[in-house]
Amino acid sequence: MDPFSDDDPWPDEPEEFDPDSLGPETPDATDIDAETLESVPEGLFRAFVGSAIMLNVALFGLSLGALLIYFRGDTEVGGAALAAGGAAAVFAGRYYWQYKRGDFTDGTATDGGDDS
């Protein structure tokens, strides 16, 4: 009899644990195809991507600038990073306000002027 074989499990050994049995069932994500992307208005897509990029830059710049100023006392580089992060946050807000105002409804941003 081989003491290392799996034929005869220990009597008090628990059954194998299935980690997928915990929690709710996760639904299958649908694939995004070309038709789905074409159904999104171009202006909405541009506003979303632009604001997402600007918010990432803002978060990075503001946090890096605060860390540089607080831990290293480097007000020159830290201040520049804070200014860049603040400017990126303003640009993200601009994208949001332009979308809320309806500037991106036809696929292009308008300057608010009259076409007459």
Side-chain angles (χ1 to χ4, degrees):
M1 182 169 176
D2 185 15
F4 300 109
S5 70
D6 291 333
D7 296 337
D8 189 26
W10 291 68
D12 56 347
E13 184 176 332
E15 299 210 11
E16 284 292 321
F17 175 70
D18 181 21
D20 294 331
S21 66
L22 292 176
E25 292 289 325
T26 55
D28 292 332
T30 59
D31 291 334
I32 297 177
D33 55 356
E35 182 179 323
T36 304
L37 286 178
E38 289 173 1
S39 67
V40 177
E42 181 186 346
L44 175 62
F45 183 74
R46 289 180 56 207
F48 174 75
V49 170
S51 62
I53 290 171
M54 287 295 120
L55 285 174
N56 282 320
V57 170
L59 180 64
F60 177 73
L62 291 172
S63 59
L64 179 68
L67 288 172
L68 286 173
I69 290 172
Y70 184 76
F71 288 113
R72 291 197 174 180
D74 189 358
T75 56
E76 187 175 315
V77 176
L82 279 175
V90 168
F91 280 117
R94 185 184 67 124
Y95 276 119
Y96 174 74
W97 289 314
Q98 284 179 341
Y99 176 74
K100 289 298 266 185
R101 202 171 54 213
D103 290 350
F104 289 110
T105 55
D106 62 348
T108 58
T110 60
D111 58 286
D114 201 9
D115 289 331
S116 55

